[in-house]
């Protein structure tokens, strides 16, 4: 589902993700290499016109990965080693954006926001979001976890570290 549909289905998770994207301007995208191993790359995601857009340099390895295998994971940047700000993970499939009008509007929006404008050719993908998670560490080896997947409500739970793994608190 696109960003608008995701925000309607899981508004708090969408708000948390957008806050983190805007705070740092960065995220990490995990893709699948040709040999099946993972690739992690930095990216500047943009919520624009109801889509979560991922712009990439033309023929970059991560873009070629997504053209071959669209499965990916988008993970917000963590800037606090304690993890108290929380982290958002969005999993889904990258959809190649071919609409010339949307590409142009996105390029112009990028210029307005950053002072830099992508020029053709470049890759632009929209994330078809399938599931999401938010994990926040709360000290004392405790976590708050919120998860969602298409067709299901958001689930919330608290977990604590036992020394041999996390258990529901």
């Amino acid at each position: 589902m696109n960003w608008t549909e995701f925000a309607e289905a899981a508004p708090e998770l969408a708000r948390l993700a957008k806050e983190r994207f805007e705070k740092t301007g960065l995220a990490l995208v995990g893709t699948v290499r040709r040999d099946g191993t993972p690739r992690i790359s930095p990216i500047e995601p943009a919520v624009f016109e109801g889509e979560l857009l991922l712009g990439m340099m033309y023929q970059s390895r991560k873009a070629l990965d997504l053209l071959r295998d669209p499965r990916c994971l988008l993970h917000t940047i963590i800037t606090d080693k304690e993890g108290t700000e929380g982290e958002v993970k969005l999993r889904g499939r990258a959809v190649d954006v071919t609409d010339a009008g949307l590409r142009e509007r996105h390029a112009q929006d990028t210029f307005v926001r950053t002072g830099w404008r992508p020029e053709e050719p470049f890759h632009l993908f929209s994330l078809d979001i399938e599931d999401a998670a938010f994990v926040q560490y709360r000290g004392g080896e405790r976590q708050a976890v919120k998860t969602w997947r298409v067709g299901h409500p958001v689930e919330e739970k608290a977990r604590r570290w036992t020394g041999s793994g996390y258990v529901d608190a």
Side-chain angles (χ1 to χ4, degrees):
M1 68 178 40
N2 70 18
W3 182 264
T4 298
E5 295 164 331
F6 168 61
E8 290 170 1
E12 185 177 11
L13 285 171
R15 178 187 59 78
L16 290 165
K18 191 170 181 191
E19 282 176 2
R20 275 140 192 85
F21 295 151
E22 290 174 351
K23 178 181 177 185
T24 65
L26 295 171
L28 296 173
V29 63
T31 61
V32 181
R33 296 174 190 237
R34 184 179 306 280
D35 68 2
T37 59
R39 182 188 314 274
I40 303 294
S41 306
I43 194 158
E44 299 175 36
V47 176
F48 182 72
E49 293 187 5
E51 302 289 342
L52 178 52
L53 298 177
L54 310 174
M56 300 176 194
M57 289 181 356
Y58 186 66
Q59 300 291 298
S60 66
R61 296 289 186 204
K62 62 189 166 196
L64 296 176
D65 287 347
L66 292 174
L67 290 170
R68 189 187 63 264
D69 183 341
R71 295 175 298 165
C72 65
L73 177 82
L74 191 65
H75 190 289
T76 58
I77 301 293
I78 301 167
T79 60
D80 170 6
K81 73 178 185 171
E82 300 300 319
T84 56
E85 66 194 327
E87 60 190 275
V88 175
K89 302 171 190 183
L90 300 175
R91 188 179 59 81
R93 295 179 186 274
V95 177
D96 190 16
V97 175
T98 59
D99 179 277
L102 178 56
R103 294 174 67 84
E104 172 58 29
R105 292 188 306 277
H106 165 70
Q108 182 59 32
D109 178 68
T110 299
F111 179 73
V112 168
R113 286 184 296 105
T114 69
W116 174 82
R117 179 186 171 84
E119 297 294 334
E120 294 288 0
F122 67 95
H123 293 284
L124 185 62
F125 297 94
S126 174
L127 185 61
D128 179 11
I129 303 165
E130 297 172 354
D131 65 52
F134 173 73
V135 179
Q136 185 176 34
Y137 299 90
R138 297 209 166 146
E141 299 178 340
R142 301 180 85 69
Q143 290 180 331
V145 180
K146 296 176 192 213
T147 57
W148 168 87
R149 64 186 167 116
V150 172
H152 294 82
V154 173
E155 294 181 13
E156 297 184 42
K157 62 183 167 183
R159 301 189 315 182
R160 66 178 174 76
W161 179 253
T162 66
S164 59
Y166 280 101
V167 296
D168 292 346

